[in-house]
Amino acid sequence: AAHPRRQRHGAFGRGVDVLLGAGVIAGTANLLNLLDLRPGRAIKSGLLLAAPLTGGPQGGIAAGAAGAAAGLLRDDLAEDVMLGDSGANALGAVLGVALAARTGPLGRAGLLAVLAGLTAASEKVSFTAVIQRTPGLRELDALGRRAD
């Protein structure tokens, strides 16, 4: 039988890991929603995030989300459909699951710190303004979108 103290620590560690994973999932959902201010932006961001996550044993999680998002990209760029809060949050949450599935507790803590930092930064800095001021991001953001 396992030592009771080690068992409690193991359960505590698992609990912390679950909370970190939940934070990564929620944080990724929120980040994609924060980016969903222009047609196609959240989907493009999701596809860029999903691309490196599609390999390996957990790759199907990201690949499924990327395939669904790619199927909507043309219509979202044409402004025939809108991803909106529900779609951006769902895409981000599934990609958050893919991120959490590929990392251990330390990786999840690091991801959560980055996501929290980006969320905090969004309160002070406009992501749209940063994208517009950054040549590569500006062109990628506008790619496929109707001219204003």
Side-chain angles (χ1 to χ4, degrees):
H3 189 275
R5 187 172 178 174
R6 282 192 212 140
Q7 239 177 355
R8 278 197 310 262
H9 181 69
F12 176 77
R14 281 190 298 279
V16 168
D17 193 30
V18 167
L19 288 175
L20 289 171
V24 167
I25 294 164
T28 308
N30 186 58
L31 180 62
L32 282 197
N33 192 41
L34 288 172
L35 291 169
D36 191 31
L37 296 175
R38 298 289 184 274
R41 185 180 291 169
I43 292 176
K44 290 176 191 175
S45 300
L47 292 172
L48 288 172
L49 178 59
L53 300 175
T54 58
Q58 299 90 5
I61 299 169
L72 294 172
L73 183 58
R74 189 178 97 193
D75 290 337
D76 193 27
L77 287 168
E79 299 180 36
D80 292 333
V81 300
M82 185 174 109
L83 192 61
D85 291 349
S86 298
N89 278 312
L91 176 59
V94 173
L95 294 175
V97 168
L99 283 167
R102 298 178 76 88
T103 57
L106 189 57
R108 289 180 187 129
L111 286 167
L112 186 53
V114 168
L115 291 163
L118 288 169
T119 300
S122 77
E123 295 292 324
K124 302 284 184 195
V125 178
S126 163
F127 288 164
T128 296
V130 171
I131 289 167
Q132 290 304 310
R133 286 192 311 261
T134 309
L137 294 177
R138 183 177 53 242
E139 285 77 19
L140 179 61
D141 190 45
L143 185 66
R145 195 177 315 136
R146 299 186 322 187
D148 290 329

